Amino acid sequence: SCAPMRKIIFLALCSLGCAVLPKPVLGTAPAVDALALQRAADAFFQASTVDEMRNAIAGAEQAGPDSAIFHSLSAELAELEDREEKAYQHRYQALLRSENDLAFLLLHQLWEQPASMENRRRTLGLLETLATTHANEDVRAVAAFYWAQLLQSYGQFSRRDEALAMIPGRISLS
């Protein structure tokens, strides 16, 4: 029967998907010019053309090239332009910034976005980092939930259960 061979192939593919990548670390990226960064964000959301959006992003990059705001705005434009990989990269970077006021929203957007196998592996580490170290309890809970789902898809059931146990207020059904 082909069933044992299929199981071996499935397990081999799962192990390829579970390659360990370094776990990212949350950090801060203080804006060079916080007022200019806020003005750039306002200009982005008031823009009526793509060129105005790009100009606003250029202003955000100049004011804070590694800031959560710059990366968040860049992710929005990349998604509008159907550049999924770029949108993923910018959301990932924005989520690594502990000063990110939009982490909860960006986390949901990142989860809903299609991702390559490499990005799924990167997301696994990001979700673990957010679930264990983010300052906001709601972000930690949602990250733990998504982390558990991703762990389950890789067949890592005991780690999935550990991630689910991190969610506050969860009622054990076992």
Side-chain angles (χ1 to χ4, degrees):
S1 151
C2 292
M5 183 56 84
R6 281 191 213 137
K7 187 174 184 178
I8 291 169
I9 291 171
F10 175 76
L11 292 173
L13 289 173
C14 282
S15 68
L16 287 175
C18 295
V20 177
L21 294 174
K23 192 168 79 167
V25 177
L26 295 182
T28 57
V32 175
D33 183 346
L35 184 58
L37 194 56
Q38 188 56 53
R39 284 184 183 145
D42 291 344
F44 179 86
F45 288 109
Q46 293 172 1
S48 56
T49 67
V50 173
D51 285 339
E52 289 175 359
M53 291 173 144
R54 284 192 186 112
N55 289 338
I57 289 173
E61 185 174 28
Q62 186 175 14
D66 207 26
S67 67
I69 291 176
F70 164 69
H71 286 295
S72 297
L73 298 177
S74 296
E76 287 297 316
L77 182 59
E79 187 170 73
L80 289 172
E81 294 179 332
D82 202 26
R83 295 180 293 128
E84 290 178 359
E85 179 62 26
K86 211 48 151 167
Y88 174 87
Q89 291 171 5
H90 281 294
R91 282 195 181 105
Y92 184 96
Q93 290 301 316
L95 283 164
L96 288 177
R97 304 298 166 249
S98 57
E99 80 276 6
N100 187 347
D101 294 335
L102 298 174
F104 193 77
L105 171 66
L106 288 167
L107 186 54
H108 287 299
Q109 289 175 332
L110 186 79
W111 183 253
E112 293 297 322
Q113 182 176 342
S116 66
M117 288 304 289
E118 178 185 347
N119 285 348
R120 283 174 53 101
R121 287 190 298 271
R122 290 181 67 209
T123 300
L124 192 64
L126 175 65
L127 292 172
E128 181 179 5
T129 295
L130 293 171
T132 57
T133 65
H134 200 278
N136 183 303
E137 181 180 27
D138 293 332
V139 171
R140 286 194 314 271
V142 171
F145 177 73
Y146 287 151
W147 183 33
Q149 287 185 358
L150 200 50
L151 287 167
Q152 179 168 318
S153 75
Y154 286 128
Q156 297 182 14
F157 302 116
S158 61
R159 289 190 69 209
R160 173 210 56 200
D161 294 344
E162 291 170 15
L164 287 173
M166 298 171 73
I167 300 171
R170 184 177 164 270
I171 299 171
S172 176
L173 299 177
S174 55

